[in-house]
Amino acid sequence: MTMRIDRKRLEMTIEELGSIGATARGGLTRLALSDEDKRGRDWMVARMREAGLRVTVDRMGNIFGERAGAAALPPVLMGSHVDSVPTGGRYDGQLGVLCALEAIRSLDDHRIATRHPVGVVIFTNEEGARFQPAMIASGVMAGKIALEDAYNARDKDGIRLVDELERIGYLGPEPCVARPLRGYLELHIEQGPFLEEEKLSVGVVEGIVAISWSRLTIHGVQDHAGPTPMRIRHDALVAAANVVAGVRGTARTLGGDVVATVGNLTVSPNIVNAIPGRVTLSIDIRDPKIETLEKARGILDRVVRDACEREGVRYELEHYWQVPDTPFAPDVIAAVERAATAVGARWRRILSGAGHDAQYMAAIAPTGMIFVPSRDGRSHCEEEFTAIEDIEDGANTLFLAALDLAGRA
Ligand SMILES: [Zn+2]
């Protein structure tokens, strides 16, 4: 009989933390560094102290709770985030933090001493819903984002991140820098349909896909919607519409796992009776291999050129951000596989299509992730849901994988 986490206790914490910032329809609005975020953090810190963890906060407001090991060795960290998108769900992020806490409580239940310390980490502003970029605090920790730049990130009301950190009492004294870690483990909802479709309870995550972001600005000729005949129009939105269809066509042409999305469109002047003079749109392309993104951008360049030539409009296309695919550490992946097998989870290897703090952590620590299924593949919405049976398999996998990496004393 393998050791188990306490499912009832875990379920209770999901209820309790989920009630902070709860929406009427069962979701969650807990934007980073808001009053709700402060209450969620305070609740977590209280639970971490109850569990006897040594709690520290760094200069980015990342919260750490550490359970001592038998030797002065680098710790195994488990964690995720507790901020949410507006009207998001109660599983994204939270579940990783709560399962980490549950794993530590379970070490205590079973009176297990570990060689390496084992800890929980809660990263600030993972979602990027309030302050951009997303994953800002793990980015600072990994040395990929300057602390100054992170501090000066502003929300839509012009409020600086550092001022909000101070206001809610989470501008900590510890430096936000990389330090030696035995490993970083993050349990997270899949946010896609694969595990559910295949009736699996756990995904052993091998890495995170490569991501490319582009921005297209189309300059047409703004004019009156009435007296301007169709034959002399240069409509920026018509060109944009062909680009939107072309972006999907690009993914279809390439096939495989590539996904491409136009998610943001700004139309100017955006009124009923004027021909759109300017459109700005975003293009997000993802694939397990960075070479595919380069190919996709090549096709996209032609799609945009053709669409704009046909409409007789000018454009600027910038490919302004790209992250390569992030493979996780083979020894951590292997530990997660052993754990998933030991708990009897129905599992397979999987790639993450979404960014996570684990992406930055992989640059500074042996890193792995554990996915649990998302009902209908949905997330970032109030309908987000994962069955407790699957959460239990995931939490047990996290528990045993962390113990595997930390080693028994
Ligand atoms: Zn998340």
Side-chain angles (χ1 to χ4, degrees), residues 268-281:
S268 171
N270 204 24
I271 57 168
V272 174
N273 56 356
I275 297 162
R278 195 177 67 239
V279 171
T280 308
L281 61 87

Side-chain angles (χ1 to χ4, degrees), residues 80-81 92-93 126-127 186 188 191 356:
S80 198
H81 59 95
D92 183 346
E126 189 274 345
E127 293 290 5
E186 181 165 353
H188 204 279
Q191 305 179 279
H356 297 287

